[in-house]
């Protein structure tokens, strides 16, 4: 792989042992995938933040790096942590877990990383541009930035994202290249989709059908960015889909040739079957919304739905700190709390230890429906937001 003088120097230890080690990791990665060179990244999103996911070995690794003076060179955000970093006690998070989680956050802070723990960095101050190269980790954020924004990122692991943040580069392979962004299947959407859960159910079906490949959607009549983030998240979960195109909606769709591609139909029957498959429970202990992290538009809409009511079940809305604070300023937090809900920042239903608190969770996310049974030992009630908030 071609390296510039600066990159050669980093590899030779001119910028210290940490940079040398991480540059080696990037070069090895580039060699494996046959990258021709390194490219600068505009921003990084690092996964592996929750103590639940990385445990003591991850904490020790991060503390070691931070103590050796590792510093990021580009704007770097974090994936959700294992708890609301401010209101964790209120959520019932155990104190020993909280203590470790705070140490992880301290290590990231020392490295100069923005302490915004979210899977929707594009809604919280880190908006890439079309064709900007990134090194993001969390699968729904990767899908959204590639597909809806038209930026370019592979799905980075925790260490490779951290390496890109500290070195400022990533190897040029995979979805950074034009030829790897072409669709492999056309998805013929033959049914109307209204709720995020409809998009999540379709994403679950399509991801499993195309596995690791790139779908091109035809026939989606209307979708906002919240619907698209639900769709992308569910496909990433069921089929590791990191890029999709939607006719007339996503920026690269018009550049793609879909002639002769295999077509897969998604109609009323597939939608119904997907809902049935994702449902594994009956009586929820809690309703948790915001996977991927809720946008302000979603929080406003939930607040309008619950205003003046008392919810039958406790409600959590997972989001970024930035959205929570804006909701608070708008008085939406009070509306939601009066109805019996909470806005939970910095974390989500999958990476926080909810198995210590609940056993059946109601959700409207196609991604969370796939992760909660295994990762959090939950039974899942999967449905649209109106039904969930009515307790049906
Ligand atoms: Fe985000 Fe957690 Fe869902 S990281 S995409 S809210 S599983």
């Amino acid at each position: 792989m071609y390296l510039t003088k600066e990159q050669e120097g980093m590899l030779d230890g001119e910028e210290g042992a940490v940079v040398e080690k991480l540059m080696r990791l990037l070069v090895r990665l580039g060699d494996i995938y046959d990258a021709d060179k390194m490219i600068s990244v505009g921003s990084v999103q690092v996964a592996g933040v929750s103590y639940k996911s990385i445990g003591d070995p991850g904490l020790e690794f991060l503390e070691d790096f931070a103590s050796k003076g590792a510093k990021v060179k580009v704007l770097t955000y974090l994936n959700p942590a294992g708890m609301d970093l401010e209101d964790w006690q209120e959520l019932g998070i155990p104190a020993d877990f909280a203590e470790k989680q705070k140490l992880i956050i301290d290590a990231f802070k020392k490295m100069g990383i923005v302490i915004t723990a979210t899977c929707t960095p594009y809604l919280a101050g880190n908006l890439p541009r079309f064709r900007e190269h990134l090194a993001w980790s969390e699968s729904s954020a990767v899908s959204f930035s590639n597909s809806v924004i038209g930026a370019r990122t592979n799905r980075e692991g925790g260490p490779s994202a951290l390496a890109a943040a500290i070195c400022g580069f990533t190897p040029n392979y995979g979805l950074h290249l034009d030829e790897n962004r072409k669709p492999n299947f056309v998805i013929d959407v033959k049914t109307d989709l209204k709720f995020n859960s409809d998009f999540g159910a379709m994403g679950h079906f399509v991801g499993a059908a195309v596995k690791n490949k790139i779908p091109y959607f035809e026939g989606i009549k209307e979708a906002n960015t919240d619907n698209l983030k639900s769709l992308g998240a569910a496909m990433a979960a069921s089929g590791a889909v990191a890029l999709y195109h939607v006719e007339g909606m996503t920026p690269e769709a018009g550049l793609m040739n879909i002639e002769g591609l295999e077509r897969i139909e998604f109609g009323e029957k597939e939608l119904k079957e997907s809902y049935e498959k994702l449902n594994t429970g009956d009586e929820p202990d809690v309703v948790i919304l915001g996977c991927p992290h809720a946008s302000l538009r979603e929080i406003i809409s939930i607040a309008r739905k619950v205003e003046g009511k008392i919810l039958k079940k406790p409600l959590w809305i997972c989001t970024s700190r930035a959205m929570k604070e804006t909701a608070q300023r708008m008085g939406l937090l009070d509306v939601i709390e009066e109805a019996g809900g909470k806005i939970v920042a910095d974390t989500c239903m999958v990476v926080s230890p909810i198995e210590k608190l609940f056993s059946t969770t109601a959700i409207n996310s196609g991604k969370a429906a796939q992760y909660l049974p295994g990762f959090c030992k939950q039974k899942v009630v999967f449905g649209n937001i109106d039904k969930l908030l009515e307790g049906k």
Side-chain angles (χ1 to χ4, degrees):
M1 179 178 11
Y2 169 77
L3 294 180
T4 62
K5 269 217 156 57
E6 179 199 3
Q7 292 159 353
E8 289 279 8
M10 290 162 84
L11 200 58
D12 291 342
E14 281 174 14
E15 292 189 26
V18 171
V19 171
E20 178 188 336
K21 191 171 173 183
L22 294 175
M23 198 63 189
R24 283 200 188 287
L25 186 151
L26 293 175
V27 169
R28 209 173 316 133
L29 197 63
D31 286 342
I32 292 169
Y33 290 103
D34 229 3
D36 59 341
K37 60 178 179 181
M38 292 286 175
I39 43 175
S40 298
V41 289
S43 70
V44 172
Q45 190 234 11
V46 175
V49 178
S50 169
Y51 178 65
K52 177 173 161 179
S53 318
I54 65 172
D56 287 323
L59 169 59
E60 280 158 29
F61 169 86
L62 293 170
E63 284 187 325
D64 179 47
F65 266 41
S67 71
K68 288 178 177 147
K71 288 270 182 237
V72 298
K73 285 191 173 150
V74 296
L75 182 69
T76 302
Y77 271 45
L78 295 175
N79 205 38
M83 61 186 198
D84 187 311
L85 297 171
E86 289 175 18
D87 297 328
W88 57 272
Q89 270 160 320
E90 221 183 275
L91 299 177
I93 302 291
D96 52 342
F97 182 95
E99 199 182 311
K100 300 278 189 168
Q101 185 62 71
K102 284 185 199 160
L103 292 174
I104 292 172
I105 295 298
D106 285 348
F108 282 127
K109 210 188 280 182
K110 271 193 199 143
M111 292 185 223
I113 294 178
V114 181
I115 304 305
T116 288
T118 180
C119 52
T120 57
Y122 47 88
L123 296 177
N126 182 1
L127 178 65
R129 68 157 170 80
F130 183 59
R131 290 203 166 133
E132 186 170 26
H133 294 286
L134 316 171
W136 285 17
S137 295
E138 195 281 319
S139 64
S140 81
V142 165
S143 165
F144 192 94
S145 59
N146 273 320
S147 314
V148 183
I149 298 171
R152 300 186 167 204
T153 178
N154 290 314
R155 185 178 172 184
E156 301 293 341
S160 67
L162 202 55
I166 288 169
C167 298
F169 302 105
T170 195
N172 190 32
Y173 73 96
L175 292 174
H176 292 286
L177 305 172
D178 285 341
E179 63 263 32
N180 296 327
R181 300 180 65 87
K182 294 177 186 157
N184 310 96
F185 294 91
V186 174
I187 313 299
D188 241 327
V189 181
K190 298 273 196 209
T191 182
D192 288 340
L193 305 162
K194 182 177 168 200
F195 293 99
N196 277 349
S197 51
D198 297 342
F199 284 85
M202 178 165 77
H204 171 65
F205 172 89
V206 173
V210 308
K211 283 275 178 230
N212 260 310
K213 297 279 195 298
I214 301 172
Y216 180 105
F217 289 87
E218 276 190 344
I220 298 181
K221 293 191 192 105
E222 189 50 59
N224 61 24
T225 45
D226 297 324
N227 303 142
L228 294 178
K229 81 176 159 60
S230 297
L231 172 65
M235 286 193 290
S238 62
V241 172
L243 167 64
Y244 62 93
H245 304 289
V246 183
E247 182 190 29
M249 291 190 194
T250 59
E252 288 166 279
L255 309 171
M256 300 299 165
N257 178 7
I258 54 165
E259 245 177 64
L261 294 183
E262 185 182 331
R263 301 183 82 89
I264 298 171
E265 194 171 303
F266 185 83
E268 201 56 39
K269 176 175 152 278
E270 288 76 19
L271 182 65
K272 193 167 168 268
E273 281 171 5
S274 232
Y275 266 88
E276 283 165 5
K277 224 165 146 193
L278 293 172
N279 251 298
T280 52
D282 306 309
E283 195 50 46
D285 305 317
V286 64
V287 177
I288 310 188
L289 306 172
C291 170
H293 270 178
S295 67
L296 197 54
R297 174 172 44 207
E298 289 175 297
I299 298 173
I300 293 169
S301 145
I302 296 165
R304 285 196 185 131
K305 287 176 198 287
V306 305
E307 187 157 22
K309 296 185 185 153
I310 299 294
L311 291 164
K312 291 190 186 131
K313 302 282 174 187
L315 166 71
W316 287 16
I317 304 162
C318 301
T319 191
S320 62
R321 177 70 48 194
M323 295 303 113
K324 181 171 177 177
E325 283 178 358
T326 310
Q328 195 166 10
R329 280 192 173 181
M330 293 173 70
L332 304 176
L333 184 58
D334 290 342
V335 169
I336 288 163
E337 285 183 350
E338 276 158 22
K342 291 185 200 309
I343 300 184
V344 177
D346 315 312
T347 188
C348 80
M349 64 286 263
V350 171
V351 297
S352 63
I354 64 161
E355 61 279 10
K356 295 195 171 38
L357 309 170
F358 314 113
S359 57
T360 303
T361 300
I363 47 174
N364 67 342
S365 160
K367 172 174 176 179
Q370 296 172 74
Y371 277 76
L372 285 178
F375 215 60
C376 303
K377 301 182 183 64
Q378 296 295 293
K379 286 198 177 128
V380 164
V381 175
F382 176 72
N384 75 50
I385 190 167
D386 288 351
K387 285 193 178 161
L388 298 186
L389 292 179
E390 281 164 23
K392 286 183 191 160

